[in-house]
Amino acid sequence: LVRHALIPFTFHETNFISFLLHFFISFIIQFVMFVIIWFFYALGGKTDMRLSSYIILLPLLILQLILLSMAVGVIISSLTTKYRDLAMLVTFGLQLWQYATPVVYGLALIPKQIQWIYLLNPVTPIIITFRYAFFGRGYFSLFYYSIGWGITILLFFIGLILFNRIEKTFMDTV
C-alpha cells in the first residue's frame, strides 16, 4: 500500500528514483554551497551569525520537508489526473503558498495579531527553525513545530488515501 502510494503514477519506478536522486544531489550541492558561504561570513567576523543548538534538528527538518513535498505532490498528481483543468489552478496556488511562507521576509514583518496564521503553514516552522539553527536569530516554537508535523502527517495520509482511490480508476481516466 505505502510503496504504491509513494510512487507517483506518472513516472516509472526507475525514472522516479532518478528524479529523486537528481533533486537530492541538487539539494546537497546547494546545501554545501550554503555552508561554505555561511563559514565565510561567520569566520570573517562580518556578522554576528552563530550556530544554535537547534542545528541537531536539521535531519528532522529535512525529513519533514521531504514528507510534506511528497504529500502535496501525491495529492496534486492524484487530483490533476481526475480533474485535468486543476493543473492551472495548482500553479497559482503554489505561488500563493510561496508568498505565504516567510522565506524572503522575516516573520517579524508580520503583525503580531496574525502571526499565528502564518505559523499554521507547515513550511513556516521549518523555515524559522532553519534560520534559528544557522543564524541564531529568531526563535523556535515547539507548539507550532508540532502543529506543522501534524499537518504534514495529515496531508501525507490524505495523499495516500486519495491516491489509492484514484489509482483504481486511473486507466479509465487516462
Side-chain angles (χ1 to χ4, degrees), residues 91-110:
T91 305
F92 180 69
L94 288 176
Q95 286 177 345
L96 283 178
W97 191 8
Q98 176 186 351
Y99 289 116
T101 305
V103 176
V104 178
Y105 57 92
L107 198 59
L109 294 176
I110 308 300

Side-chain angles (χ1 to χ4, degrees), residues 42-67:
L43 297 177
K46 298 177 181 171
T47 63
D48 61 342
M49 294 186 324
R50 64 190 186 290
L51 289 177
S52 74
S53 60
Y54 289 96
I55 197 74
I56 61 172
L57 291 177
L58 187 63
L60 279 176
L61 295 170
I62 293 171
L63 177 66
Q64 183 183 3
L65 205 53
I66 289 169
L67 283 176

